[in-house]
Amino acid sequence: MTQDLPQPGAVKAYSAPDAADVRELLLDWCGALPEDADDAVAALAALDADAVEGADRRYQSIVADMGGTQWIPWPRSPEAHPLLGLFPVLAAVPDMLAFHRAHGVDEDLSRKVLADLGEKLRLNRRLHGHAALDVAPWFTRHLRGSLYQLGRLQFGVEGPGPKPFAGMHIRGEGGPLTREAVRESVEWAMEFFPAAFPDRYAGPDDLEFVCESWLLDPRLREWLPERSNIPGFGALFDLQGEGDPAGNRSDLWRFVFGRTEDTPVEDLPGDNTLQRSVMAGIKAGVTWQNRRGRLNLHRLAL
C-alpha cells in the first residue's frame, strides 16, 4: 500500500511539525491529554529517516486531493512508531484551515473538527495502554475539508459523483444521542452544506443523509431499555441491504467496551447499561451487525 502514496515532496514541501507545533496543536486545538502531547513530542524526536519519509508521503496524499470525498488507505504505522500517522495530520492543519476559509468555515468549526483527534488519542490510550493513533487514515477526510462536526453529529461529504451524500458519524464523547440533538445537527447540516459547497448542493433538498453503524442494528431495541436513546436513533433510518452475518466484533469491542478485538468475552467490562445489554445479547448468541440506513427526515419532522 505504501507504494500507492505520492513520493516525498511530490505535491508540496512537507513542513514537518516541530515540538512546539505538536504541543500547541494537540493541547490548544485538539483538546488532547497532556500525557498524549508529551508522548507525541517524544515520538517526534525518535523518528528515523524512513519514518520521516513515510510521514511526508502521507502528507502528500492529503494535499494532493483537498476536498476529496474518500478516505485514503494509509499503510499501518510501523510498530516502532505508533504515532507516525499523527505527524502528517498535524502538518496538514494549515492546509485544512486554508480550505475552510475558502469555503466560509469559521475557526470555531475548524477546532471542532480537530477535537476528534484528541478523542481518538484518548481512546487509543485506553485500548493499548500507551499513546497511539491506530485510526490515522480516518483523519484524511477531516484534513481535506470533507468532514465537519455540526452539533452532536459529524457529517461527511461522501461517495462518488458531483452530488455526494452526507454521511453521518457519531463521536463517542459527543454527549447524549437524543432526538432533539439529532434534529438540531441535521438542521445545521441542511444549512451548512449548501452554503459551503454550492457547487455540490443547490439547497437542503439535495442532501441525502446516510449512516452505517452498529447503532442501526434493529435488534438493539430488544435488549436496551426503552429510555435508551440508541433504539430511537436507529428508528430514524430506513435500512438498506442486509447486515454482514459475521457481525462487527471490532467496532463493538472498541466503542462499547473500550477493548481491543482480541479481548475474551469473559474479560469485557459491564460498567454501564449499554455494555450489560450488548453483553446479554452476545451471551444469547446475537451477532451484532453494522447496518446501513438512509435518514427518514419525516421522522424528525423535517
Side-chain angles (χ1 to χ4, degrees), residues 160-181:
K163 192 179 73 175
F165 61 83
M168 301 171 66
H169 305 278
I170 306 96
R171 280 183 54 195
E173 296 181 4
L177 196 63
T178 64
R179 182 176 291 258
E180 293 75 18

Side-chain angles (χ1 to χ4, degrees), residues 15-27 29 41 44 90-91:
S15 181
D18 62 20
D21 293 333
V22 168
R23 191 176 298 279
E24 178 185 3
L25 286 168
L26 288 179
L27 295 178
W29 286 77
V41 168
L44 178 68
L90 296 180

Side-chain angles (χ1 to χ4, degrees), residues 170-193:
I170 306 96
R171 280 183 54 195
E173 296 181 4
L177 196 63
T178 64
R179 182 176 291 258
E180 293 75 18
V182 172
R183 179 188 170 93
E184 290 174 5
S185 282
V186 172
E187 287 181 318
W188 191 348
M190 292 172 78
E191 296 176 0
F192 173 83
F193 282 100

Side-chain angles (χ1 to χ4, degrees), residues 157-301:
V157 182
E158 298 179 23
K163 192 179 73 175
F165 61 83
M168 301 171 66
H169 305 278
I170 306 96
R171 280 183 54 195
E173 296 181 4
L177 196 63
T178 64
R179 182 176 291 258
E180 293 75 18
V182 172
R183 179 188 170 93
E184 290 174 5
S185 282
V186 172
E187 287 181 318
W188 191 348
M190 292 172 78
E191 296 176 0
F192 173 83
F193 282 100
F197 302 101
D199 55 326
R200 288 176 165 166
Y201 310 106
D205 291 342
D206 264 359
L207 284 164
E208 177 186 14
F209 295 96
V210 176
C211 182
E212 184 171 352
S213 172
W214 61 271
L215 292 166
L216 269 59
D217 191 329
R219 295 170 298 176
L220 286 167
R221 301 169 201 170
E222 303 169 16
W223 296 91
L224 286 168
E226 290 185 9
R227 68 180 184 276
S228 172
N229 291 317
I230 291 175
F233 178 75
L236 296 173
F237 294 83
D238 295 322
L239 296 180
Q240 301 173 328
E242 301 294 330
D244 183 349
N248 184 16
R249 176 180 173 121
S250 178
D251 279 3
L252 266 294
W253 262 238
R254 183 183 187 88
F255 295 119
V256 174
F257 299 107
R259 297 292 187 271
T260 54
E261 190 177 352
D262 58 355
T263 304
V265 170
E266 58 270 20
D267 292 340
L268 296 175
D271 300 329
N272 56 52
T273 301
L274 176 59
Q275 290 176 346
R276 291 190 290 272
S277 299
V278 170
M279 175 60 73
I282 292 172
K283 290 181 176 179
V286 176
T287 304
W288 298 110
Q289 299 173 334
N290 269 24
R291 296 298 301 272
R292 180 183 176 91
R294 183 179 186 273
L295 181 65
N296 188 318
L297 293 173
H298 295 294
R299 293 177 193 152
L300 283 175

Side-chain angles (χ1 to χ4, degrees), residues 8-252:
V11 182
K12 185 177 180 181
Y14 172 54
S15 181
D18 62 20
D21 293 333
V22 168
R23 191 176 298 279
E24 178 185 3
L25 286 168
L26 288 179
L27 295 178
D28 296 344
W29 286 77
C30 303
L33 294 172
E35 51 264 47
D36 282 330
D38 291 341
D39 287 353
V41 168
L44 178 68
L47 294 180
D48 55 29
D50 287 342
V52 171
E53 178 179 315
D56 187 338
R57 296 182 68 180
R58 287 165 173 80
Y59 171 77
Q60 300 303 322
S61 72
I62 292 175
V63 295
D65 189 30
M66 293 300 293
T69 62
Q70 305 290 331
W71 278 280
I72 301 173
W74 284 355
R76 183 183 298 274
S77 295
E79 187 174 341
H81 301 289
L83 285 172
L84 176 62
L86 174 65
F87 303 118
V89 166
L90 296 180
V93 168
D95 302 285
M96 182 195 80
L97 294 176
F99 184 93
H100 283 182
R101 287 192 295 269
H103 288 79
V105 178
D106 63 31
E107 184 178 298
D108 182 59
L109 280 183
S110 300
R111 288 178 177 273
K112 285 182 169 62
V113 169
L114 292 174
D116 195 15
L117 183 56
E119 176 180 318
K120 294 304 186 290
L121 287 168
R122 287 188 288 276
L123 176 58
N124 269 244
R125 185 171 288 275
R126 291 197 299 274
L127 288 170
H128 306 296
H130 58 81
L133 190 63
D134 60 4
V135 291
W138 162 247
F139 292 97
T140 58
R141 293 187 58 247
H142 296 56
L143 275 297
R144 283 149 64 226
S146 58
L147 190 140
Y148 297 89
Q149 180 84 34
L150 304 175
R152 175 63 184 89
L153 301 172
Q154 293 173 324
F155 296 88
V157 182
E158 298 179 23
K163 192 179 73 175
F165 61 83
M168 301 171 66
H169 305 278
I170 306 96
R171 280 183 54 195
E173 296 181 4
L177 196 63
T178 64
R179 182 176 291 258
E180 293 75 18
V182 172
R183 179 188 170 93
E184 290 174 5
S185 282
V186 172
E187 287 181 318
W188 191 348
M190 292 172 78
E191 296 176 0
F192 173 83
F193 282 100
F197 302 101
D199 55 326
R200 288 176 165 166
Y201 310 106
D205 291 342
D206 264 359
L207 284 164
E208 177 186 14
F209 295 96
V210 176
C211 182
E212 184 171 352
S213 172
W214 61 271
L215 292 166
L216 269 59
D217 191 329
R219 295 170 298 176
L220 286 167
R221 301 169 201 170
E222 303 169 16
W223 296 91
L224 286 168
E226 290 185 9
R227 68 180 184 276
S228 172
N229 291 317
I230 291 175
F233 178 75
L236 296 173
F237 294 83
D238 295 322
L239 296 180
Q240 301 173 328
E242 301 294 330
D244 183 349
N248 184 16
R249 176 180 173 121
S250 178
D251 279 3
L252 266 294

